[in-house]
Amino acid sequence: MCGIVGYIGERDATPIILNGLKRLEYRGYDSAGLAVLNEGNIEIRRDAGKLNHLEALVRNTPIHGQIGIGHTRWATHGEPNERNAHPHLGSTGEFVVVHNGIVENYLTLREELSAEGTRFNSDTDTETIVHLVEKFYASGANLEAAVQQTLKQLKGAHGIVVMSSREPDKIVAARVGNAGGVVIGLGEGENFIASDLPAILEHTRRAVFLESHQMAVVTRDEVRVTDMSGWAVEVKPQNIAWDPVAAEKGVYRHFMQKEIHEQVRSLTDTLAGRVDFDEGRVMLHELGLDPQSAREIRKIIITACGTAAHAGMVGKILIERIARIPVEVAIASEFRYADPLVDEHTVVLAISQSGETADTLAAMEEGRSKGAKLWSIVNAIGSQAMRIADGCISMQVGPEIGVASTKAFTAPLLDLYLLALHLGDLRGAIDEDRRFSLVQDLMSVPALVGECLDREQAVAALARKFKNTRHMLYLGRGINMPIAYEGALKLKEISYIHAEAYPAGEMKHGPIALIDRSMPVMALAPNDPWYDKMISQIEQALARGGDVIAIATDGDELIADLTPNILWVPKTPWLLSPVITTIPLQMFAYHIASLLGLDVDQPRNLAKSVTVE
Ligand code: F6R
């Protein structure tokens, strides 16, 4: 979704803002702009399209200043053109705003303001914000109070940043609800503002995250955080460990490819410090569980969206098989309105790489309001889903830039396995021998992922063979059924090829009618308890003239006799097989999209962090 960057200090704000916006490109956007304050005047440059358009504009008509704000916009109200791009100026040219979120009552506000004589220059909901700030300022409020009064008028969730030539020594930032984060990066004689950490990491590692209903008045030397009534709030700056170099593409063509290849490391990091292989134990201190509190849990509801929900579906099987606790998986956008059966013995476990997905946050709030304990598995440090949870397992994968999630899918698979073991141990659901052997199984996972990655050429060859298909069916059963869903999602979101996934047993109830020469079938048939069922499914597809690509375990001669199209995976204990079978599917989708010449990292219509409903 939209990205925000702001700067105040001694340096030229323009390149800092442009650079920061570049680091947020991965979030998806369709226009961009920036405003700087120069000798008492606000100057603006904006353009539709990618950041290189804005950069060219700034090269041709430069602007400089030591305080400024910038934005990458993902259109919600009004076309993605120059006049709708942020920042938006008020009527006097003295106030300027950038905004993430949706002003739900903007039509009413616009009518009211128009009736009072305000002229609008864009079709956006955001423009109402700057006119309101201007109006409250004119009636005697200072900038901070004008922003507070404005926010009281707005319905919906917002992150806003405001600058004014009337108070040229400050930027005011505010957050209401979950329309993305607002983070203040702390420097020496300079400070930074952003919607996301990657925008400011090259300048500072100390940051303050605004909670909902907080605002910050940021000057060169000071950051003052208050609530929406102006009362000071004490905040503790956090030290961020991410390496900005990790956010560079390196030798890879696309971030997605880089991130697929980072999984050996991210999975190693996921285990580090949490698994004692000698003792055969898992440590998840972040959840603060003891045997008593673990036994009190009667039900776990995993809630998430998209790829994260697929991880949750695997998690259900892991937790039920290992810890013997009933688990439901609820799509967050449904759960939030489902009036779910939740009580104080229920844990609502949210999975989210961004930690800012509006539906997932709302689902967490729904769980909380009904008395559930809240846990989360989150990648983005300091995000809302991390902060509001009673316990959070932090994914150890670093920033994920490609919009299609890869390493932030496999990490929670392992996190859920660890959680299942931890719960099973605390509740006495597994004996020592089983626990020890399940822990030992983890040891080889990063290396097995590495073996899959080494086979990229074979995957690319199959991608070349199938790149012109327009439809595909993905089939799996049991623990690999969610991986069929995930494989199909990866293919459709980056290659725009129609891909559908089914639990293979459902084929005979309808979808089998689709199978003919033009409908290749991706069948997940590793060596797991559902293997025989998958073989019969493959045979049925072949009998109807379909091409079958099988994901099969090394040495499987039976499958080798059935189809020439095989993505081989190394032998893996079945509870961990989803981590392994996912890898060729990620690479298959990546290579098809890349062969089709598509924008792999920023597929159309998609954003990295979905902060609107
Ligand atoms: C697909 C993808 C999305 C996200 C979904 C939830 O590759 O990335 O389906 O999984 O939008 O996002 P998070 O994990 O940020 O809550």
Side-chain angles (χ1 to χ4, degrees):
M1 299 273 131
C2 311
I4 289 177
V5 182
Y7 174 76
I8 180 163
E10 302 289 340
R11 294 191 274 162
D12 187 356
T14 303
I16 293 173
I17 292 169
L18 284 172
N19 240 339
L21 291 176
K22 263 203 185 128
R23 311 248 172 213
L24 301 185
E25 278 197 295
Y26 68 94
R27 293 170 58 89
Y29 67 103
D30 42 35
S31 57
L34 82 162
V36 296
L37 199 49
N38 185 18
E39 295 181 349
N41 292 318
I42 293 174
E43 291 196 60
I44 292 202
R45 298 289 180 271
R46 308 184 297 201
D47 209 345
K50 294 290 173 185
L51 269 173
N52 52 359
H53 297 195
L54 180 64
E55 284 177 313
L57 184 68
V58 170
R59 255 197 314 278
N60 293 336
T61 50
I63 46 173
H64 302 287
Q66 294 170 328
I67 157 168
I69 58 180
H71 190 264
T72 43
R73 171 175 186 252
W74 179 268
T76 54
H77 297 69
E79 281 176 38
N81 53 24
E82 188 275 329
R83 66 191 282 276
N84 289 331
H86 301 209
H88 287 287
L89 263 184
S91 311
T92 59
E94 294 170 335
F95 299 85
V96 66
V97 68
V98 291
H99 166 228
N100 283 355
I102 293 176
V103 182
E104 289 174 8
N105 55 335
Y106 91 103
L107 274 179
T108 322
L109 292 172
R110 201 176 161 111
E111 269 169 31
E112 285 169 10
L113 287 161
S114 299
E116 292 164 10
T118 304
R119 277 197 48 216
F120 281 81
N121 296 310
S122 76
D123 311 313
T124 64
D125 54 339
T126 300
E127 202 187 334
T128 54
I129 300 178
V130 70
H131 290 303
L132 284 171
V133 172
E134 198 166 55
K135 177 177 146 179
F136 290 122
Y137 199 91
S139 65
N142 64 15
L143 186 61
E144 193 180 339
V147 171
Q148 285 162 10
Q149 290 173 32
T150 299
L151 284 166
K152 288 196 182 111
Q153 303 289 312
L154 308 182
K155 278 199 182 153
H158 312 280
I160 69 167
V161 180
V162 184
M163 188 173 80
S164 171
S165 54
R166 299 292 290 271
E167 297 191 21
D169 57 348
K170 67 183 65 145
I171 299 177
V172 176
R175 173 176 188 163
V176 175
N178 301 320
V182 177
V183 53
I184 321 289
L186 308 176
E188 293 288 324
E190 59 182 2
N191 287 307
F192 308 82
I193 299 167
S195 51
D196 303 81
L197 270 174
I200 55 173
L201 275 182
E202 66 178 298
H203 304 292
T204 179
R205 300 298 178 83
R206 288 185 70 232
V208 168
F209 295 88
L210 293 192
E211 303 287 339
S212 179
H213 291 90
Q214 286 184 350
M215 56 192 290
V217 178
V218 184
T219 65
R220 282 187 176 84
D221 304 308
E222 197 195 11
V223 174
R224 191 161 46 83
V225 178
T226 68
D227 64 17
M228 287 296 160
S229 308
W231 293 103
V233 175
E234 223 191 285
V235 286
K236 220 171 117 215
Q238 297 194 25
N239 288 316
I240 311 299
W242 279 357
D243 177 359
V245 180
E248 301 293 346
K249 213 180 292 176
V251 295
Y252 295 100
R253 267 190 79 196
H254 297 101
F255 280 111
M256 182 180 177
Q257 190 185 27
K258 171 176 181 262
E259 285 155 7
I260 289 172
H261 280 269
E262 277 172 357
Q263 288 173 107
V264 175
R265 183 167 157 209
S266 60
L267 294 172
T268 309
D269 291 348
T270 299
L271 301 179
R274 291 181 172 144
V275 182
D276 180 339
F277 286 107
D278 294 335
E279 294 289 320
R281 274 234 139 77
V282 167
M283 288 133 336
L284 287 176
H285 302 301
E286 49 272 64
L287 296 184
L289 279 173
D290 55 28
Q292 163 84 7
S293 52
R295 279 200 197 97
E296 281 167 4
I297 300 170
R298 298 211 188 120
K299 176 166 81 173
I300 296 177
I301 300 178
I302 302 181
T303 189
C305 306
T307 285
H310 299 151
M313 290 162 78
V314 175
K316 170 182 165 71
I317 297 176
L318 294 172
I319 295 171
E320 289 188 343
R321 293 276 177 145
I322 298 174
R324 307 306 289 165
I325 302 173
V327 180
E328 290 169 21
V329 182
I331 297 295
S333 53
E334 292 297 318
F335 182 75
R336 62 186 293 187
Y337 297 117
D339 192 13
L341 298 174
V342 169
D343 62 19
E344 70 275 17
H345 297 293
T346 308
V347 172
V348 169
L349 165 59
I351 306 174
S352 175
Q353 58 79 24
S354 66
E356 298 289 353
T357 300
D359 285 325
T360 306
L361 293 174
M364 291 176 82
E365 276 156 18
E366 177 67 15
R368 167 81 83 211
S369 72
K370 292 202 147 76
K373 192 187 257 293
L374 287 189
W375 293 345
S376 60
I377 300 178
V378 176
N379 192 35
I381 297 161
S383 61
Q384 187 80 344
M386 185 173 267
R387 293 201 305 267
I388 64 176
D390 300 309
C392 176
I393 302 177
S394 164
M395 293 184 206
Q396 302 295 314
V397 311
E400 187 180 64
I401 308 293
V403 162
S405 203
T406 50
K407 60 179 181 169
F409 173 67
T410 46
L413 295 181
L414 280 198
D415 289 327
L416 287 158
Y417 186 95
L418 297 181
L419 177 63
L421 275 168
H422 187 47
L423 287 168
D425 187 17
L426 288 170
R427 289 164 65 98
I430 39 174
D431 62 32
E432 209 174 317
D433 285 353
R434 181 148 185 253
R435 191 193 74 219
F436 194 82
S437 114
L438 288 172
V439 167
Q440 299 312 308
D441 287 346
L442 280 165
M443 190 131 42
S444 57
V445 170
L448 294 174
V449 167
E451 275 187 51
C452 293
L453 293 170
D454 290 344
R455 302 172 187 192
E456 186 166 12
Q457 286 318 312
V459 183
L462 270 187
R464 275 193 291 280
K465 185 167 169 186
F466 287 93
K467 73 176 196 300
N468 293 321
T469 187
R470 291 315 307 148
H471 308 275
M472 260 187 99
L473 268 180
Y474 281 63
L475 303 180
R477 287 197 79 152
I479 202 159
N480 276 294
M481 192 257 285
I483 305 307
Y485 284 117
E486 175 58 11
L489 178 61
K490 285 288 94 84
L491 185 68
K492 66 186 134 191
E493 68 183 332
I494 60 169
S495 74
Y496 318 142
I497 293 169
H498 169 225
E500 269 194 83
Y502 278 97
E506 277 291 287
M507 286 302 285
K508 55 189 174 293
H509 301 292
I512 200 163
L514 288 169
I515 294 183
D516 64 10
R517 281 198 182 289
S518 65
M519 178 68 87
V521 173
M522 177 71 78
L524 282 109
N527 202 340
D528 66 18
W530 296 270
Y531 172 79
D532 292 340
K533 310 277 177 210
M534 284 305 300
I535 292 294
S536 92
Q537 206 57 63
I538 290 172
E539 281 169 336
Q540 286 177 43
L542 290 168
R544 283 156 185 87
D547 267 324
V548 171
I549 308 173
I551 307 259
T553 306
D554 287 344
D556 185 336
E557 290 172 12
L558 180 56
I559 290 199
D561 280 345
L562 290 176
T563 174
N565 309 313
I566 301 185
L567 295 170
W568 293 107
V569 290
K571 193 167 184 321
T572 313
W574 74 266
L575 284 168
L576 286 163
S577 79
V579 186
I580 305 304
T581 51
T582 301
I583 307 295
L585 294 182
Q586 292 173 344
M587 294 195 289
F588 184 74
Y590 168 75
H591 279 286
I592 289 203
S594 165
L595 286 164
L596 295 176
L598 296 167
D599 189 349
V600 174
D601 286 330
Q602 292 175 42
R604 69 186 183 202
N605 307 340
L606 293 177
K608 187 69 186 159
S609 170
V610 185
T611 51
V612 291
E613 194 175 344

